[in-house]
Amino acid sequence: MDWDKLRIFHAVADAGSLTHAGDVLHLSQSAVSRQIRALEETLNTNLFHRHARGLILTEQGELLFDATKSMNRRLEAASARIRDSEEEVFGELRVTTTTGFGTLWLAPRLPKLYELYPDIKIDLMLEERVLDLPMREADVAIRMKEPSQADLIRKRLMSVRMRLYATREYLDSRRPLEEVHDISDHRLICQQLSSTQVSAGATLIHHLLSHEVGSIFTVNNYFGVLQAVINDLGVGVLPDYVVQDFPHLVRCLPEIESGEVPVFLAYPEELRQSKRITAFRDFVQDEIIAHRKTLADMNLDG
């Protein structure tokens, strides 16, 4: 089979449209259509069902698309390795993590990474959905759960617990919050239970809601919870890593916290030699060491 025709077939199958594939490939729709017909003639089979709204792969087309996806993934990995200089770190690195960790912990620290490696380009994908690293949906992931996918190198970075925080201004405006039943005089800010979140966080919220909560404000991610808390709206369920960057927050009901949530960094085995992966991994590990030291110092001062 002609490699160029396979490349065009992959683009059409991925886009589901001759027009969209042509835009990606910088080819006319008629040129793309001719290449697909030629490939179908070579294979003596139809690869697509054609209908008014676009193209749908036939069973034979699905088989070929599985093969071209695997080929494309391997070519991307090979290209990534080739682009990695022996002495320099440059090029795109696609990083995926949760919205909360990405906005509240990782993004504020990325200027330091760019200072070290000004030619690197981080594409940060904030997803509660777990992206498929072996299929190259991302290059490296930081997740609140040990990855289950095969062929991944994984490293445990730290542990997180969900705790209760509020501003001093909010607490001074309400009755004291000394026991969990006092929450009936307060507004609880937390993630919606229907939102994707770690089970330890959901368990803690369930526990708090089993008491008579005075008022509730829910958001679908921790960034929104934090914004509500720092604007004096109530007592928020937040991951403990926010304390370093928002030291004015007051921890409430210190005897109440979630179970331990492990944080893992993972990347495909085939990117083991990637200089960009190594630079990012080492940077995150160094930042976590500094993070732990800051928290320890804050605890001593407290």
Side-chain angles (χ1 to χ4, degrees):
M1 283 182 281
D2 185 292
W3 280 94
D4 200 46
K5 289 184 177 64
L6 288 175
R7 178 178 66 89
I8 292 171
F9 162 79
H10 181 83
V12 173
D14 191 46
S17 158
L18 294 172
T19 303
H20 293 158
D23 292 341
V24 172
L25 297 168
H26 305 294
L27 295 172
S28 68
Q29 179 180 337
S30 59
V32 173
S33 181
R34 283 196 302 273
Q35 294 293 328
I36 294 299
R37 282 200 304 272
L39 181 60
E40 289 179 324
E41 289 171 4
T42 299
L43 296 172
N44 194 30
T45 189
N46 290 326
L47 298 173
F48 295 97
H49 295 299
R50 292 158 174 84
H51 63 90
R53 290 176 295 174
L55 302 175
I56 298 176
L57 287 165
T58 63
E59 183 179 352
Q60 293 79 12
E62 290 280 5
L63 287 172
L64 187 59
F65 190 39
D66 285 343
T68 59
K69 281 192 292 188
S70 177
M71 291 161 55
N72 193 59
R73 177 166 57 87
R74 290 180 177 276
L75 286 170
E76 284 185 357
S79 177
R81 289 198 294 270
I82 291 168
R83 289 196 306 269
D84 278 332
S85 165
E86 290 185 0
E87 299 191 2
E88 296 181 21
V89 175
F90 65 94
E92 183 180 70
L93 183 66
R94 295 171 299 168
V95 179
T96 179
T97 189
T98 61
T99 302
F101 192 83
T103 56
L104 301 180
W105 193 89
L106 182 59
R109 289 163 173 77
L110 287 179
K112 297 179 187 177
L113 180 65
Y114 276 93
E115 286 178 15
L116 293 170
Y117 307 108
D119 295 324
I120 199 169
K121 176 185 179 296
I122 300 294
D123 180 6
L124 183 58
M125 294 175 281
L126 303 179
E127 295 263 5
E128 305 310 315
R129 178 175 68 92
V130 177
L131 299 188
D132 192 329
L133 297 184
M135 288 302 295
R136 298 306 308 279
E137 289 188 321
D139 299 315
V140 59
I142 300 176
R143 307 302 309 187
M144 307 298 120
K145 180 181 180 182
E146 183 170 7
S148 59
Q149 293 167 299
D151 301 324
L152 292 182
I153 296 172
R154 62 206 74 198
K155 179 173 180 59
R156 183 164 176 161
L157 296 173
M158 63 178 181
S159 295
V160 170
R161 291 183 186 272
M162 308 302 158
R163 292 171 173 167
L164 293 171
Y165 297 96
T167 60
R168 174 53 58 194
E169 289 76 12
Y170 168 81
L171 292 172
D172 287 345
S173 71
R174 297 291 182 114
R175 292 182 180 179
L177 180 56
E178 297 173 347
E179 304 288 342
V180 68
H181 61 259
D182 293 331
I183 205 161
S184 61
D185 296 315
H186 292 267
R187 181 176 296 110
L188 180 67
I189 306 170
C190 60
Q191 281 212 64
Q192 301 157 354
L193 286 170
S194 59
S195 300
T196 302
Q197 60 181 303
V198 295
S199 59
T203 300
L204 175 59
I205 294 170
H206 272 295
H207 170 65
L208 293 167
L209 293 179
S210 69
H211 298 272
E212 190 176 339
V213 178
S215 174
I216 301 174
F217 176 73
T218 58
V219 196
N220 65 347
N221 61 61
Y222 287 122
F223 179 75
V225 173
L226 176 67
Q227 293 304 305
V229 170
I230 63 178
N231 284 285
D232 310 324
L233 187 61
V235 179
V237 178
L238 286 165
D240 57 7
Y241 56 72
V242 304
V243 177
Q244 179 181 350
D245 296 327
F246 297 90
H248 64 286
L249 292 180
V250 178
R251 185 176 176 190
C252 307
L253 303 177
E255 72 281 1
I256 293 180
E257 63 182 11
S258 76
E260 190 175 81
V261 180
V263 180
F264 282 87
L265 182 144
Y267 51 94
E269 173 73 36
E270 62 194 20
L271 293 181
R272 178 187 289 273
Q273 302 302 321
S274 168
K275 294 291 186 293
R276 284 165 295 165
I277 294 279
T278 300
F280 180 78
R281 180 200 64 203
D282 292 349
F283 166 76
V284 170
Q285 288 181 253
D286 289 346
E287 284 299 307
I288 284 174
I289 290 170
H291 171 75
R292 287 173 177 159
K293 184 178 184 304
T294 300
L295 292 185
D297 292 343
M298 290 171 65
N299 289 334
L300 287 175
D301 292 341

